[in-house]
């Protein structure tokens, strides 16, 4: 394709580039062109309706993975569509400081140098992390550019830049002053490897086979004992009660009595609690409030103390007793079991497989520990956020995730805010003796020491939709672009991030941060396993882009997207590449035929033009509905079939036959490009730039629009033509006929139907000539509008045709007999799934019809003989 005159130099100039679309050559040019145009920079004073999406900020340590690629393609489709519609489209760009992940990366780097953060000291270590961030931290933003994402890169934010850090301090101090934030000892997920509390997201469950031991706890008074079962015998040293179900008749007589803790000797109560499962173990539960969240809740209901026997260093404490202090938990477990056996209090041992929490970061087994931390009481913040979803001000899609959200919010627990790390937002808290000061700036006077802990990364992330726009200042961007409209994210952070953003948005902006939450699919490996480098199942999106181009990757990901988890499909990426090639060649044909845009009002005149314009109108309606309902797979699939099947395979063939107008074809192509551009922006932009008469970037072109109303008559006439062509093609294929063989066809129908058939179209599409009457020896094929008489132009070899028909009859009879035998089997009909039985019934119907048609053809041939 030759570029039109007067265009900016945004296209390749080689002959090869015109003959085929080369993604690696075109993509960098268009990325640069979009950014130079400043159309990605939203104007808060623009006066147009705002449409805002805040990107879920990828970790600054991150590299593009398949989940990023899918989610950001989804967001880019939405933002491009609204930009084309004339909205002031703002896609907020930035990255998250990712406290644990980033610190771990730099610590590994230091280890290769033979040192560690403690040797450097805190200030030097933090400076080292900043240096790492400046050198390596922008990788994922560069990768998003390569994917074609049109974020507002000029306003890129970082969750630890100075303005953002001020917003974080402001919120922490404000929540403290309002009484939400406090310091206390509470049960947390403790990572002994990191020596820090971690969030639920950093915890992964692994199946582990432990030894379940049964231990006899002697009653404090009289004879007898109560036997408990546990897989953590070392924690029994911290037991403060034994709990049983109030409905369990085995232990009802023991409730209210006391027993003696083996190896330790202290007396502990036996309590009744609804949380105890009488079917688990012995039905008697040892209660260790300092090392189990379930036990902690039981303790709260019965006013039980908590004894910590595992410390933050991951070893047994002095409260476990001198014999066990300093041991690792697994060492202590072995010693406790040996001591119980020696004391005659071990009642049984068996293997037990269960799920155990491990740290995703360090790999250590997570210990539920009582720890002195900073917390936020979430009850008051949660209530308005619950109402926002209940009232429909925030909608989840798929809507089942609203129930997931509500379930968590209605049972919300205090949020552990502090982390024992060096990289992150340091707590704005200072201590001097017993004095505690919380403030945005350090306190006056001597002797103050700042708390060494940092805030949970999710605390700063919770402010993302408004802190990125300049809050706590009342900036023009904040007034124009908050609240945002759509959040697209993953289901695993509904609690950690989505819920907290809603709470913080309502608390500090007085409004929800977004109206719609779309929960996208999790992309699995092709075999259904999770994608993972360590498992060898990871697929690098950048490699796919290099091989197939960004458009094909975007298309393939949208095609597999769903309301469920999905398996990655290389075939779908290949399908996207085929669509790119098909579109490119289609555009070349339109241009070669003299098609141009910008030539004034174009009115579809021929049946072919009106048909394609009508199909386009339908597709636009469906596309708009699909995007409004976040049905991205449907959106991609509809466009694929519109372009590949209807425009290229039918309409352009009619254009070649002279049945369509080149300028109408160009006008249709323009609208197809506008429809495709949000999904496949690079090839769409390149084709648009080469269409004679095109002007400006497709990036800001108006959305696809219909060239006229839907035309049912034209659709029906072309559908008839397609049916006839399909029948003739099947006839020729079955007989091994080529276009050179020549085919004669006559349609037995009413005069209006026959008059609507174009001889040129039939010749171009099927290689057939319209006859004045039934050709001699013709086969008769059923049509919706009548019957088709068709025969080879040189006449029928009756003997060969008779043999072909008899062979086909034999196949149909065999298949019909098989289907009837299957359906005659009562056990099959009764026991097989209904859909399987229905398939057999459909086969029986189809083969019966086929057999009747073949018999009629054979009879007609015999009569003609």
């Amino acid at each position: 394709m030759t570029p039109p005159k007067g265009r900016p130099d945004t296209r390749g100039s080689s002959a090869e580039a015109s003959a085929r679309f080369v993604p690696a050559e075109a993509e960098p040019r268009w990325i640069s062109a979009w950014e130079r145009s400043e159309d990605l920079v939203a104007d808060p004073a623009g006066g147009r309706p705002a449409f805002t999406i805040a990107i879920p900020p990828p970790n600054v340590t991150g590299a593009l993975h398949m989940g990023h690629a899918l989610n950001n393609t989804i967001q880019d489709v939405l933002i491009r569509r609204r930009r084309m519609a004339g909205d002031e489209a703002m896609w907020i760009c930035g990255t998250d400081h990712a406290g644990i992940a980033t610190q771990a990366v730099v610590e590994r780097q230091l280890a290769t140098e033979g040192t560690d953060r403690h040797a450097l000291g805190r200030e030097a270590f933090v400076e080292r992390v900043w240096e790492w961030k400046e050198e390596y931290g922008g990788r994922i933003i560069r990768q998003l550019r390569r994917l074609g994402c049109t974020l507002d890169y000029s306003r890129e934010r970082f969750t630890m830049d100075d303005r953002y850090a001020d917003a974080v301090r402001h919120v922490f101090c404000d929540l403290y002053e309002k009484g939400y934030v406090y310091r206390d000892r509470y049960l947390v997920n403790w990572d002994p490897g990191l020596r820090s509390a971690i969030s639920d997201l950093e915890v992964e469950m692994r199946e582990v086979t432990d030894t379940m031991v049964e231990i006899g706890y002697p009653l404090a008074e009289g004879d007898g004992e109560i036997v408990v079962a546990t897989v953590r015998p070392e924690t029994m040293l911290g037991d403060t009660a034994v709990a049983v179900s109030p409905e369990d008749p085995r232990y009802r007589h023991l409730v209210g009595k006391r027993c003696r803790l083996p190896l330790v000797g202290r007396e502990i109560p036996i309590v009744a609690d609804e949380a105890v499962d009488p079917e688990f173990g012995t039905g008697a539960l040892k209660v260790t409030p300092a090392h189990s969240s379930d036990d902690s809740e039981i303790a709260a209901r019965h006013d039980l103390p908590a004894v910590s026997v595992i410390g933050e260093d991951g070893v047994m404490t002095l409260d476990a007793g001198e014999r066990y202090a300093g041991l690792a938990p697994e060492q202590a477990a072995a010693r406790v079991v040996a001591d119980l056996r020696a004391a005659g209090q071990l009642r049984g041992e068996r293997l037990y497989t269960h799920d155990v929490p491990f740290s995703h970061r360090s790999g250590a087994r997570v210990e539920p520990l009582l720890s002195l931390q900073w917390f936020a009481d979430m009850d008051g913040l949660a209530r308005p956020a619950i109402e926002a979803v209940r009232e429909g001000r925030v909608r989840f899609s798929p809507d089942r995730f609203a129930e997931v959200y509500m379930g968590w919010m209605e049972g919300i627990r205090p949020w552990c805010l502090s982390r024992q790390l060096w990289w992150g937002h340091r707590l704005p808290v200072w201590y001097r003796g017993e004095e505690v000061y919380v403030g945005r700036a350090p306190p006056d006077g001597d002797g103050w020491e700042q708390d060494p802990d940092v805030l949970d990364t999710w605390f700063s992330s919770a402010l993302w939709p408004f802190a990125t726009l300049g809050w706590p200042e009342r900036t023009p961007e904040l007034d124009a672009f908050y609240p945002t409209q759509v959040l697209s994210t993953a289901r695993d952070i509904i609690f950690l991030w989505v819920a907290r953003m809603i709470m913080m948005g309502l608390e500090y902006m007085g409004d929800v941060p977004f109206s719609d939450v779309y929960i996208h699919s999790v992309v699995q490996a092709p075999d259904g396993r999770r994608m993972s480098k360590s498992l060898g199942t990871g697929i690098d999106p950048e490699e796919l882009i290099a091989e197939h181009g960004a458009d094909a990757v975007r298309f393939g990901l949208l095609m597999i997207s769903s309301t469920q988890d999905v398996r990655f499909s290389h075939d779908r990426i290949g399908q996207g590449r085929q669509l790119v090639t098909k579109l490119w060649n289609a555009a070349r044909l339109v241009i070669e035929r003299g098609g141009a845009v910008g030539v004034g009002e174009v009115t579809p005149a021929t049946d072919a033009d009106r048909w394609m314009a009508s199909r386009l109108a339908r597709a636009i309606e469906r596309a708009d509905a699909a995007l409004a309902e976040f049905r991205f797979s449907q959106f991609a699939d509809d466009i694929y079939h519109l372009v590949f099947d209807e425009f290229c395979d039918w309409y352009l063939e009619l254009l070649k036959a002279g049945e369509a107008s080149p300028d109408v074809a160009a006008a249709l192509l323009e609208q197809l490009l506008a429809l495709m551009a949000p999904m496949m922006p690079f090839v769409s932009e390149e084709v648009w730039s080469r269409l004679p008469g095109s002007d400006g970037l497709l990036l800001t072109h108006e959305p696809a629009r219909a060239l006229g109303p839907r035309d049912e008559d034209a659709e029906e006439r072309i559908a008839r033509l397609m049916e006839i062509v399909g029948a003739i093609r099947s006839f020729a294929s079955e007989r091994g006929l080529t276009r050179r063989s020549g085919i004669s066809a006559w349609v037995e129908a009413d005069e209006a139907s026959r008059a609507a058939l174009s001889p040129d179209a039939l010749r171009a599409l099927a290689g057939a000539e319209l006859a004045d009457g039934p050709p001699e020896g013709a086969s008769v094929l059923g049509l919706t509008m009548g019957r088709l008489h068709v025969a080879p132009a040189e006449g029928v070899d009756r003997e060969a045709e008779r043999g072909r028909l008899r062979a086909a009859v034999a196949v149909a009879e065999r298949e019909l007999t098989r289907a009837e035998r299957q359906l005659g089997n009562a056990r099959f009909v009764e026991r097989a799934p209904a859909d399987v039985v229905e398939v057999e019934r459909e086969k029986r119907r189809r083969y019966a019809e086929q057999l009747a048609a073949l018999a009629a053809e054979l009879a007609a041939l015999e009569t003609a003989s």
Side-chain angles (χ1 to χ4, degrees):
M1 286 183 280
T2 304
K5 295 180 180 178
R7 291 288 294 209
D9 183 18
T10 50
R11 294 169 298 283
S13 57
S14 69
E16 181 186 9
S18 292
R20 62 188 184 93
F21 179 67
V22 183
E25 187 273 330
E27 289 168 358
R29 287 190 286 101
W30 288 113
I31 292 167
S32 177
W34 295 329
E35 292 188 37
R36 286 200 314 270
S37 74
E38 298 189 359
D39 290 318
L40 311 191
V41 182
D43 181 3
R48 298 183 294 177
F51 182 84
T52 312
I53 294 177
I55 188 175
N59 289 354
V60 71
T61 58
L64 192 69
H65 59 59
M66 209 56 72
H68 288 136
L70 171 61
N71 191 19
N72 285 283
T73 296
I74 286 168
Q75 293 171 76
D76 196 46
V77 166
L78 296 173
I79 209 79
R80 283 176 178 272
R81 179 65 180 79
R82 298 313 309 168
R83 187 185 290 118
M84 293 175 75
D87 289 357
E88 202 65 63
M90 159 74 92
W91 190 4
I92 298 170
C93 175
T95 52
D96 192 282
H97 66 278
I100 292 175
T102 308
Q103 178 161 320
V105 167
V106 177
E107 288 203 71
R108 285 196 296 270
Q109 192 179 67
L110 292 175
T112 64
E113 300 170 10
T115 187
D116 60 28
R117 65 183 168 110
H118 299 287
L120 259 67
R122 181 169 191 146
E123 187 174 337
F125 176 76
V126 170
E127 182 60 34
R128 180 68 176 266
V129 180
W130 276 107
E131 290 172 3
W132 181 92
K133 184 260 178 187
E134 293 306 313
E135 186 171 354
Y136 301 107
R139 178 185 176 189
I140 195 162
I141 296 298
R142 291 191 296 272
Q143 291 173 321
L144 290 175
R145 277 185 164 98
R146 188 169 184 193
L147 187 63
C149 296
T150 51
L151 292 126
D152 185 348
Y153 297 105
S154 70
R155 291 189 174 105
E156 182 179 339
R157 298 300 303 274
F158 179 53
T159 54
M160 277 184 62
D161 64 38
D162 290 341
R163 291 172 64 200
Y164 203 103
D166 182 57
V168 171
R169 288 190 294 270
H170 184 110
V171 170
F172 182 91
C173 296
D174 181 71
L175 291 175
Y176 177 78
E177 290 166 7
K178 290 175 177 175
Y180 289 114
V181 168
Y182 60 95
R183 195 182 191 211
D184 200 358
R185 288 177 64 82
Y186 199 81
L187 209 64
V188 300
N189 295 321
W190 187 262
D191 181 346
L194 290 174
R195 294 200 179 186
S196 173
I198 59 175
S199 73
D200 290 340
L201 188 65
E202 276 86 40
V203 176
E204 62 182 22
M205 304 305 290
R206 300 181 194 168
E207 192 175 85
V208 171
T209 299
D210 282 321
T211 299
M212 179 175 283
V213 297
E214 295 181 359
I215 308 166
Y217 285 38
L219 298 179
E221 296 181 0
D223 296 330
E225 65 181 13
I226 186 168
V227 179
V228 304
T230 181
V231 292
R232 297 293 305 275
E234 72 278 14
T235 64
M236 66 159 287
L237 303 170
D239 286 0
T240 56
V242 171
V244 298
S245 168
E247 306 302 320
D248 194 333
R250 294 174 296 174
Y251 302 117
R252 196 171 290 151
H253 67 290
L254 295 179
V255 174
K257 295 187 176 182
R258 301 176 72 81
C259 60
R260 190 168 291 107
L261 185 61
L263 307 182
V264 178
R266 68 171 173 265
E267 290 187 7
I268 57 177
I270 300 171
V271 301
D273 196 278
E274 295 285 353
V276 179
D277 178 4
E279 301 300 320
F280 178 79
T282 64
L285 177 74
K286 56 185 285 302
V287 180
T288 319
H291 300 290
S292 164
S293 57
D294 292 335
D295 292 6
S296 178
E297 291 179 4
I298 293 173
R301 288 192 287 271
H302 298 276
D303 197 26
L304 301 172
V307 179
S308 295
V309 294
I310 301 174
E312 294 181 351
D313 57 1
V315 301
M316 306 301 288
T317 67
L318 284 173
D319 284 338
E322 289 186 6
R323 177 165 171 76
Y324 308 104
L327 295 178
E330 58 272 18
Q331 295 172 321
R335 183 170 290 185
V336 164
V337 170
D339 291 348
L340 288 169
R341 185 177 289 110
Q345 290 175 303
L346 193 64
R347 299 291 175 260
E349 297 177 80
R350 63 185 175 87
L351 295 179
Y352 177 69
T353 301
H354 61 135
D355 289 333
V356 173
F358 284 81
S359 168
H360 174 66
R361 300 298 180 184
S362 72
R365 184 168 179 160
V366 171
E367 292 288 355
L369 290 187
L370 277 177
S371 180
L372 183 61
Q373 303 280 350
W374 284 88
F375 295 90
D377 183 347
M378 305 305 293
D379 288 341
L381 295 170
R383 282 192 293 273
I386 290 171
E387 289 306 308
V389 172
R390 184 172 287 141
E391 295 168 1
R393 286 181 287 145
V394 176
R395 299 174 295 272
F396 281 83
S397 183
D399 58 9
R400 67 177 182 275
F401 288 108
E403 297 177 14
V404 174
Y405 168 93
M406 295 295 279
W408 185 75
M409 291 290 281
E410 288 170 350
I412 199 166
R413 298 181 177 185
W415 178 7
C416 179
L417 301 178
S418 45
R419 296 290 182 268
Q420 290 62 57
L421 304 171
W422 286 359
W423 172 247
H425 292 278
R426 194 165 177 180
L427 293 174
V429 178
W430 287 261
Y431 308 102
R432 185 169 63 182
E434 297 298 313
E435 292 181 84
V436 178
Y437 172 84
V438 176
R440 293 170 66 181
D444 295 328
D446 298 329
W448 292 98
E449 289 190 9
Q450 188 172 0
D451 193 306
D453 292 350
V454 300
L455 283 164
D456 178 13
T457 295
W458 297 103
F459 185 87
S460 52
S461 299
L463 319 183
W464 185 251
F466 55 89
T468 49
L469 297 172
W471 189 91
E473 293 180 30
R474 198 78 201 186
T475 63
E477 288 81 5
L478 191 62
D479 288 337
F481 301 117
Y482 188 94
T484 71
Q485 276 63 54
V486 178
L487 172 72
S488 178
T489 190
R491 66 169 183 263
D492 58 355
I493 53 176
I494 291 175
F495 315 139
L496 293 164
W497 191 46
V498 178
R500 289 164 178 170
M501 282 192 289
I502 296 172
M503 287 187 275
M504 293 301 184
L506 289 166
E507 180 72 14
Y508 290 101
M509 295 299 297
D511 200 356
V512 294
F514 28 72
S515 305
D516 286 285
V517 179
Y518 174 66
I519 305 299
H520 64 74
S521 309
V522 172
V523 183
Q524 301 170 335
D527 62 3
R529 291 184 293 170
R530 69 181 179 89
M531 283 202 176
S532 165
K533 286 184 179 178
S534 61
L535 293 176
T537 56
I539 298 172
D540 185 351
E542 271 206 296
E543 292 180 3
L544 290 175
I545 292 171
E547 182 179 356
H548 299 284
D551 287 326
V553 173
R554 291 166 63 109
F555 172 85
L557 289 172
L558 291 177
M559 280 291 285
I560 64 172
S561 67
S562 151
T563 58
Q564 308 291 335
D565 291 350
V566 294
R567 296 186 179 192
F568 177 78
S569 169
H570 287 282
D571 289 344
R572 292 301 194 185
I573 305 293
Q575 190 178 2
R577 185 58 192 269
Q578 290 169 0
L579 181 57
V580 168
T581 302
K582 195 83 166 180
L583 177 69
W584 185 258
N585 291 333
R588 292 180 66 198
L589 174 64
V590 171
I591 293 171
E592 287 168 3
R593 295 281 165 160
V597 295
V599 296
E601 192 67 27
V602 174
T603 302
T606 69
D607 273 355
D609 288 337
R610 289 196 298 273
W611 169 75
M612 191 64 231
S614 185
R615 300 305 296 169
L616 172 67
R618 287 179 187 272
I620 292 171
E621 291 175 10
R622 285 176 59 87
D624 287 345
L627 290 185
E629 297 170 7
F630 305 111
R631 290 183 286 111
F632 297 100
S633 178
Q634 186 69 58
F635 173 74
D637 191 54
D638 282 354
I639 291 176
Y640 176 86
H641 289 293
L642 177 72
V643 174
F644 209 100
D645 299 341
E646 296 181 330
F647 185 73
C648 295
D649 285 355
W650 287 100
Y651 178 73
L652 292 185
E653 292 303 311
L654 290 166
L655 175 66
K656 291 179 187 177
E659 298 290 313
S661 160
D663 282 344
V664 173
L668 289 165
L669 178 58
E670 177 180 357
Q671 301 312 317
L672 288 176
L673 294 174
L675 191 61
M676 294 179 68
M679 175 176 67
M680 305 178 83
F682 293 106
V683 69
S684 299
E685 196 78 74
E686 186 77 10
V687 169
W688 171 244
S689 74
R690 294 173 182 274
L691 270 180
S694 63
D695 185 39
L697 290 170
L698 199 59
L699 178 74
T700 50
H701 188 287
E702 67 178 0
R705 60 178 179 82
L707 298 189
R710 287 181 9 195
D711 190 328
E712 302 290 347
D713 289 341
E715 289 203 39
E716 183 178 352
R717 286 193 292 274
I718 296 299
R720 289 176 180 176
L721 173 65
M722 293 166 72
E723 183 184 16
I724 292 169
V725 169
I728 295 173
R729 287 175 176 173
S730 295
F731 174 86
S733 174
E734 289 169 3
R735 291 156 178 80
L737 301 175
T738 67
R739 282 178 174 266
R740 290 184 180 179
S741 305
I743 294 171
S744 241
W746 181 72
V747 177
E748 183 183 341
D750 59 78
E751 285 299 324
S753 296
R754 284 210 306 272
L757 290 175
S758 163
D760 290 340
L762 205 60
R763 188 180 302 114
L765 296 173
E769 296 291 340
L770 271 178
D772 295 330
E776 184 182 354
S779 295
V780 182
L781 309 177
L783 297 173
T784 304
M785 61 175 153
R787 297 197 299 174
L788 175 66
H789 298 253
V790 60
E794 70 275 11
V796 176
D797 181 340
R798 286 185 170 80
E799 195 56 40
E801 183 65 3
R802 189 178 291 111
R804 186 192 70 78
L805 288 171
R806 285 173 176 166
V809 164
V811 170
E813 286 177 337
R814 185 170 61 250
E815 291 299 323
L816 179 60
T817 299
R818 193 204 62 77
E820 287 178 335
R821 187 185 305 116
Q822 189 81 314
L823 292 169
N825 183 337
R827 293 186 63 188
F828 168 77
V829 174
E830 291 171 5
R831 299 185 180 185
D835 58 334
V836 174
V837 175
E838 187 56 36
V839 166
E840 288 302 315
R841 287 181 176 141
E842 173 58 24
K843 284 181 183 178
R844 180 175 64 181
R845 184 197 62 78
R846 188 171 70 250
Y847 284 118
E849 289 181 356
Q850 186 178 333
L851 188 60
L854 289 168
E857 275 197 72
L858 190 56
L861 186 65
E862 298 290 0
T863 300
S865 301

